[in-house]
Amino acid sequence: MKAVVVGAGSWGTAFACLLRDNGHDVTLAARDPEQVAAMAETRLNPQYVHLADLRDIAATTIVGAPVKEADVVVVAVPSRVFGEVVAGLPGSAPVLSLTKGLDPTTGERLSTLVRGRPVAILSGPNMADEIVRGLPAAAVIASDDLALGVRLQVAIHSTTFRVYVNEDVIGVELCAAAKNVIALAAGGADGLGLGDNGKAALVSRGLAEMRRLAEVAGARPDTFAGLAGMGDLIVTCWAPTGRNRRAGELIARGSSPAEAATEIGMVVEGLTTAPVLRDLSRRLDIELPITEGVCAVLEGVPLTELLAQLMRREPTTE
């Protein structure tokens, strides 16, 4: 299979390596010509994943990538530019999206921005640094085109990266977006030193929020007990290297959202997704108190005040 991976951040780079290791012809495309030159010269991508070995992976700019000749175009760019990137792709090859978020302009799921070509979404508990180290992981591929999902499953599945097919596109995409917002809150709990009991309660209620939102949007309940839901939520909220968890921790310790993002040095999707998810929930008339609280903190409300508000909420059934 000829694959072009658009986006040479940590996950795009790790996924390019995964495809290469499965015997595919892989091109890794980045926006920054200096990054492309460095990858081509050193066969490394130290800015994002310093352990990734890029031998046998072609490096190029997005403009120069052989997209027309590709069998699949893997898109791993920030949600804020996803629509622009997919709209500019030539040819008609299927798109496999690795981006976890919502379109900040329209509030739509990202797969709905892909037009004129088939689209699939890959999601799950996939920390890039562990993928490049060859540690075991699993993911789901969701698509309205079942044949495409199965074809990609066969192409990507390996002894270290297990792939399942899931036809619940809505559920997988909303889980992928919402878990980053909950991870910001989980990081805040770490930053305040609230302990494992408090953090586990927060994450459990966050999963309930994710399920409540996506069910109203037409998703399947069992998606939230799987890799795209609970699996991805667990690793995002607990992994020390998780960007969203780390950002929440830094904010709890006094950093502004902008300062936290600068210190992390990579895109923190939860910061973009939180207000979009909140606005979507309001349009659907769904109560998401943790998401609302995260947005309030990002807008300047002290985290300790938010915690008190959440704990004072009226008790109810689970």
Side-chain angles (χ1 to χ4, degrees), residues 95-288:
V95 162
L96 175 62
S97 171
L98 306 186
T99 305
K100 298 178 179 182
L102 299 171
D103 180 53
T105 301
T106 65
E108 296 293 331
R109 291 180 292 108
L110 297 179
S111 69
T112 67
L113 306 181
V114 180
R115 299 183 175 91
R117 64 177 78 223
V119 60
I121 301 96
L122 184 141
S123 192
N126 303 142
M127 304 303 288
D129 59 328
E130 294 190 4
I131 299 296
V132 298
R133 288 160 55 199
L135 297 179
V140 294
I141 289 178
S143 179
D144 292 327
D145 184 338
L146 181 58
L148 171 63
V150 172
R151 190 161 71 249
L152 292 172
Q153 176 190 37
V154 171
I156 299 167
H157 187 93
S158 72
T159 55
T160 58
F161 195 77
R162 186 169 179 82
V163 182
Y164 296 81
V165 172
N166 186 328
E167 296 180 76
D168 182 14
V169 176
I170 295 173
V172 169
E173 280 195 281
L174 289 180
C175 280
K179 61 93 183 182
N180 285 328
V181 180
I182 305 304
L184 286 172
D190 287 339
L192 292 178
L194 299 184
D196 289 332
N197 290 337
K199 184 175 177 179
L202 175 70
V203 172
S204 298
R205 296 314 303 162
L207 182 61
E209 284 196 13
M210 291 165 56
R211 179 170 181 156
R212 191 156 58 240
L213 172 68
E215 280 186 335
V216 170
R220 292 196 325 228
D222 57 350
T223 297
F224 302 89
L227 292 166
M230 183 171 63
D232 204 2
L233 182 64
I234 290 171
V235 76
T236 307
C237 291
W238 262 274
T241 57
R243 302 177 205 172
N244 294 279
R245 190 213 62 80
R246 179 62 176 151
E249 183 178 26
L250 290 171
I251 292 169
R253 292 178 176 173
S255 297
S256 69
E259 289 169 342
T262 298
E263 179 166 337
I264 291 168
M266 291 181 277
V267 173
V268 181
E269 280 289 0
L271 298 177
T272 302
T273 302
V276 182
L277 195 67
R278 175 198 60 195
D279 294 347
L280 174 61
S281 70
R282 289 176 178 177
R283 289 198 301 272
L284 296 174
D285 195 25
I286 305 167
E287 190 177 30
L288 301 183

Side-chain angles (χ1 to χ4, degrees), residues 42-61:
T42 66
R43 314 315 301 164
L44 299 170
N45 189 4
Q47 182 178 353
Y48 292 101
V49 191
H50 69 278
L51 292 176
D53 180 352
L54 301 183
R55 283 177 293 183
D56 299 322
I57 296 176
T60 183
T61 61

